[in-house]
């Protein structure tokens, strides 16, 4: 939840990207293009700021692949194997040390609604531990985390949206339907993370969230899973551990005020 050494540090990635750019001057002048699984152009990095950010994402990928992912996986694997981490311990931690266990009351048209996130994230976390226990007990078993990842990545979007709501950040936008009438749509997590004030999250956490969830040059798990662009072989343990780490890191940002109904901003449609 708190350890700074688990993730690449943004400042280090910026420094590495700058040094790499100086060593490969010609390559640093070329625009980068990201393609998706089908070969379609998904994103361009052509301006100086875009190319600089692409360099940071490249360095982040190298750091994750060569160092941090191995560390993260081993922490989860050894902790679960030795029963230092199980569903009861995790749920107890979230209940006592995060905002997931707090009852949230929101004002909605016609009254209020009360819920908490502990009940919503528990099924995916529990499925992870079930798969891991089978993995440790059966040598030929290759675990898949389809149910856990599909559920958790979408719940994480809801967590980010609620953090924005608690922080007074508008989570919707106005647009027009085919007849030109004003309607309102919810911003997705890609929009929310990119528009989020930099001081809301720790800069290392924010870069981690973006890289895992929404960056085309990263893992982009939210987009791939939500639009069914992820293959069976990609539902692997490493990605599951990253989503769990996102869940742990998000849990420390507590903006929930107890015993106070949250009033979400409402669009003033003409």
């Amino acid at each position: 939840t708190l350890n700074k050494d688990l993730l690449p540090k943004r400042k280090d990635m910026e420094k590495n990207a700058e040094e790499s750019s100086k060593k490969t001057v010609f390559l640093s002048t070329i625009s980068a293009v990201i393609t998706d699984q089908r070969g379609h152009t998904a994103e361009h990095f052509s301006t100086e700021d875009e190319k600089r950010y692409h360099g940071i994402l490249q360095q982040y990928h190298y750091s994750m692949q060569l160092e941090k992912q191995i560390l993260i996986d081993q922490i989860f694997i050894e902790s679960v194997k030795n029963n230092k981490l199980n569903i009861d311990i995790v749920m107890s931690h979230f209940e006592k040390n995060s905002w997931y266990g707090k009852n949230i009351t929101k004002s909605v048209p016609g009254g209020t609604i009360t819920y908490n996130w502990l009940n919503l994230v528990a099924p995916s976390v529990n499925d992870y531990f079930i798969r891991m226990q089978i993995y440790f007990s059966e040598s030929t078993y290759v675990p898949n985390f389809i149910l856990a990842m599909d559920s958790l990545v979408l719940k994480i979007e809801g967590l980010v949206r609620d953090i924005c709501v608690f922080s007074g950040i508008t989570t919707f936008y106005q647009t027009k339907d085919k007849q030109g009438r004003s309607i309102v749509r919810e911003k997705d997590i890609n929009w929310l993370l990119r528009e989020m004030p930099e001081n809301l999250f720790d800069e290392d956490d924010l870069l981690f969230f973006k890289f895992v969830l929404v960056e085309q040059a990263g893992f982009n798990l939210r987009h791939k899973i939500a639009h069914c662009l992820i293959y069976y072989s990609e539902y692997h343990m490493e990605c599951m551990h990253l989503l769990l780490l996102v869940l742990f890191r998000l849990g420390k940002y507590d903006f929930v005020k107890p015993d106070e109904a949250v009033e979400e901003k409402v669009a003033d449609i003409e």
Side-chain angles (χ1 to χ4, degrees), residues 15-264:
K15 181 181 177 181
N16 293 347
E18 184 177 352
E19 292 176 353
S20 176
S21 178
K22 291 177 180 178
K23 293 178 181 177
T24 56
V25 177
F26 175 72
L27 291 177
S28 65
T29 63
I30 302 174
S31 298
V33 176
I34 304 299
T35 56
D36 61 20
Q37 300 99 313
R38 300 179 182 179
H40 300 147
T41 299
E43 190 172 7
H44 293 276
F45 294 90
S46 55
T47 69
E48 288 305 311
D49 285 343
E50 288 172 347
K51 286 188 284 188
R52 190 177 300 111
Y53 186 54
H54 179 257
I56 293 171
L57 293 176
Q58 275 190 318
Q59 294 301 318
Y60 200 96
H61 179 79
Y62 298 150
S63 180
M64 287 296 293
Q65 188 177 45
L66 300 175
E67 180 187 6
K68 300 301 183 181
Q69 183 76 65
I70 299 170
L71 174 63
I72 292 166
D73 289 338
Q74 286 305 304
I75 288 173
F76 274 106
I77 290 171
E78 295 302 321
S79 298
V80 176
K81 183 187 294 184
N82 293 285
N83 204 34
K84 301 295 184 181
L85 202 63
N86 57 43
I87 185 62
D88 294 329
I89 292 172
V90 171
M91 289 299 109
S92 176
H93 165 72
F94 285 154
E95 184 175 16
K96 295 175 182 177
N97 304 311
S98 79
W99 57 278
Y100 301 155
K102 293 185 178 181
N103 285 334
I104 298 168
T105 302
K106 280 187 181 179
S107 298
V108 296
T112 60
I113 184 172
T114 300
Y115 65 97
N116 74 62
W117 279 100
L118 204 61
N119 297 327
L120 292 168
V121 301
S124 55
V125 177
N126 188 50
D127 188 72
Y128 162 77
F129 284 108
I130 291 172
R131 303 296 168 192
M132 291 299 285
Q133 290 304 325
I134 301 173
Y135 171 67
F136 293 133
S137 62
E138 298 182 14
S139 59
T140 59
Y141 177 73
V142 179
N144 78 73
F145 300 97
I146 294 176
L147 294 178
M149 286 175 59
D150 282 359
S151 175
L152 188 54
V153 78
L154 299 180
K155 299 302 183 294
I156 286 171
E157 179 161 355
L159 294 171
V160 172
R161 178 169 287 105
D162 262 4
I163 288 175
C164 289
V165 170
F166 303 145
S167 305
I169 299 170
T170 302
T171 60
F172 58 84
Y173 64 97
Q174 295 188 46
T175 185
K176 302 287 185 179
D177 66 10
K178 293 181 179 179
Q179 303 300 321
R181 296 165 293 196
S182 293
I183 57 175
V184 173
R185 292 285 185 265
E186 285 290 331
K187 297 177 182 178
D188 65 23
I189 191 173
N190 181 67
W191 198 330
L192 294 174
L193 286 177
R194 294 186 190 282
E195 288 191 344
M196 191 168 287
E198 292 184 358
N199 62 350
L200 193 62
F201 289 144
D202 174 271
E203 66 175 3
D204 298 333
D205 284 341
L206 181 57
L207 184 56
F208 174 60
F209 298 154
K210 288 180 178 179
F211 188 85
V212 172
L213 298 169
V214 301
E215 289 292 357
Q216 295 282 352
F219 290 103
N220 198 23
L221 289 180
R222 184 273 173 192
H223 178 75
K224 288 182 177 179
I225 288 175
H227 298 286
C228 205
L229 298 172
I230 184 170
Y231 300 110
Y232 179 85
S233 60
E234 296 177 276
Y235 281 99
H236 49 66
M237 190 180 297
E238 289 81 1
C239 285
M240 183 66 210
H241 288 159
L242 292 178
L243 290 177
L244 286 172
L245 189 55
V246 169
L247 186 65
F248 274 95
R249 306 298 277 206
L250 280 173
K252 69 183 178 184
Y253 295 100
D254 189 356
F255 300 94
V256 181
K257 298 178 181 179
D259 304 321
E260 181 178 327
V262 178
E263 293 192 19
E264 296 191 63

